[in-house]
Amino acid sequence: MSVFSDTLVQRLAVAVRVGVLTGAGISAESGIDTFRGARGLWKKFKPEELASMDAFLKNPQLVLQWYEYRRRIIKSVKPNPAHHVLMEMEKHFAHFAISTQNIDSLHFKAGSKNVLELHGNILKNRCTRCGCSNFHPETGQNGQPQKCGCGGLFRPDVVWFGEMLPEDALTESFEIAGRADVYFSIGTSAVVYPAAMLPVTAADAGAYVVEINTEKTAITNRTHESIRGKAGEILPALWRVVKSRLEETI
Ligand code: BJW
């Protein structure tokens, strides 16, 4: 007998459109710290001193040092079974997309193609003046920010608090949530907006919404099922059950 509800397995077995929102928790088993929780980044570092435009303008060296430290970690880690299963799901479903709040590229490294990066990508820099991207985000001399040809300063290409999310990725993410048959919220505390609205939007539009998280979250009460556990263990187990259901029905 499966530990997963028959409703969930059956919904996935017949689903055509599946959407996913991922957060830091899906990369935790790869070795990247989450933001909140007992061992979260925000316990050790203050977001307002490191992850805001004000902080960057006040002390660019400090902010860049922090991002370089995280880039080193992110470059050294690998996708885990949760990322790999989402890549397999993309191949199976007619319409499948991941909206990720993560900036670590691990979905792409796992081979997923339809990935919408809502909070940017740490492996790139962006010019604060002309907005162009730079794929070699090393810091300049003496830890100072590199300068773009236009004279603007390069900054990490991530979305800080108070900043707009990339419009295209956000619009598409809401469209996907609004049309999904099944929608997953995986490894996110769902406290940061507007990303946290996606699973709720999906539920309001009629999707079967499933959360996978080690803890209860801000949106647990808005989901149809909240499965407690590590994404790297739950997702492979769930996908095995769905695949055997599909084989039975052939
Ligand atoms: C596991 C696990 C395992 C562990 N398996 N699970 C409406 C209402 C109120 C406020 C706002 C609102 N609209 C906008 C705001 C303001 C703000 C906001 O949301 N504030 C809230 C905190 C109150 N939002 C913004 O400013 C956004 N911009 C915006 O809305 O623009 C329009 C606007 C402008 C001006 C004024 C008003 C509107 C931008 C948000 C940018 C967020 N940036 C960061 C930093 C990115 C760069 C960097 O990395 O340095 O993004 S903050 C940080 O939080 C990061 C994450 O992507 C984001 C979300 O965190 P996430 O992924 O959920 O991680 P955690 O750590 O919170 O949770 C991990 C979860 O995993 C936990 O639940 C664990 O239990 C679980 N877990 N291991 C499964 N193995």
Side-chain angles (χ1 to χ4, degrees), residues 100-119:
T100 188
Q101 299 169 85
N102 299 343
I103 56 170
D104 56 27
S105 296
L106 286 182
H107 290 300
F108 288 118
K109 280 194 188 169
S112 289
K113 302 223 166 2
N114 208 1
V115 181
L116 300 160
E117 294 184 312
L118 294 173
H119 292 166

Side-chain angles (χ1 to χ4, degrees), residues 15-29:
V16 175
R17 294 178 180 274
V18 175
V20 184
L21 171 67
T22 61
I26 196 167
S27 297
E29 290 158 80

Side-chain angles (χ1 to χ4, degrees), residues 8-54:
L8 172 57
V9 175
Q10 192 53 26
R11 291 265 187 163
L12 281 168
V14 298
V16 175
R17 294 178 180 274
V18 175
V20 184
L21 171 67
T22 61
I26 196 167
S27 297
E29 290 158 80
S30 292
I32 301 177
D33 284 337
T34 59
F35 292 91
R36 297 163 189 86
R39 290 187 58 246
L41 283 170
W42 294 159
K43 276 271 190 274
K44 293 175 262 177
F45 307 101
K46 288 194 177 135
E48 62 275 19
E49 282 173 12
L50 293 163
S52 74
M53 194 58 183
D54 283 353

Side-chain angles (χ1 to χ4, degrees), residues 32-246:
I32 301 177
D33 284 337
T34 59
F35 292 91
R36 297 163 189 86
R39 290 187 58 246
L41 283 170
W42 294 159
K43 276 271 190 274
K44 293 175 262 177
F45 307 101
K46 288 194 177 135
E48 62 275 19
E49 282 173 12
L50 293 163
S52 74
M53 194 58 183
D54 283 353
F56 178 68
L57 294 176
K58 202 165 120 197
N59 194 344
Q61 280 167 293
L62 176 74
V63 173
L64 293 180
Q65 245 176 24
W66 190 59
Y67 278 93
E68 287 211 350
Y69 156 76
R70 290 173 60 209
R71 267 178 195 136
R72 273 199 299 277
I73 296 171
I74 284 170
K75 280 182 180 171
S76 72
V77 301
K78 293 195 176 79
N80 65 58
H83 298 101
H84 290 300
V85 165
L86 293 182
M87 183 274 290
E88 279 187 41
M89 285 182 165
E90 179 179 281
K91 288 187 184 159
H92 171 78
F93 292 105
H95 301 274
F96 184 89
I98 302 169
S99 300
T100 188
Q101 299 169 85
N102 299 343
I103 56 170
D104 56 27
S105 296
L106 286 182
H107 290 300
F108 288 118
K109 280 194 188 169
S112 289
K113 302 223 166 2
N114 208 1
V115 181
L116 300 160
E117 294 184 312
L118 294 173
H119 292 166
N121 190 308
I122 197 170
L123 302 177
K124 287 190 268 176
N125 268 346
R126 171 164 45 91
C127 174
T128 47
R129 187 179 292 171
C130 71
C132 77
S133 285
N134 169 341
F135 290 88
H136 304 286
E138 289 84 22
T139 309
Q141 277 192 330
N142 306 322
Q144 293 296 332
Q146 286 181 319
K147 274 200 174 169
C148 175
C150 76
L153 297 181
F154 275 115
R155 55 161 281 183
D157 192 4
V158 298
V159 181
W160 286 325
F161 282 115
E163 295 185 328
M164 302 304 280
L165 279 68
E167 201 181 321
D168 290 353
L170 188 63
T171 305
E172 204 178 330
S173 292
F174 275 101
E175 279 169 14
I176 289 159
R179 281 188 284 166
D181 301 314
V182 177
Y183 198 88
F184 284 98
S185 176
I186 305 174
T188 175
S189 56
V191 293
V192 174
Y193 287 83
M197 289 289 293
L198 289 167
V200 177
T201 301
D204 289 346
Y208 194 74
V209 178
V210 186
E211 176 175 70
I212 300 176
N213 200 302
T214 46
E215 290 169 26
K216 189 173 190 284
T217 75
I219 56 146
T220 297
N221 295 341
R222 302 294 308 272
T223 64
H224 294 91
E225 293 195 27
S226 184
I227 304 172
R228 214 53 90 239
K230 292 184 176 180
E233 294 169 5
I234 301 290
L235 267 174
L238 173 61
W239 193 231
R240 269 195 301 275
V241 174
V242 174
K243 280 195 297 189
S244 52
R245 171 71 57 94
L246 288 166

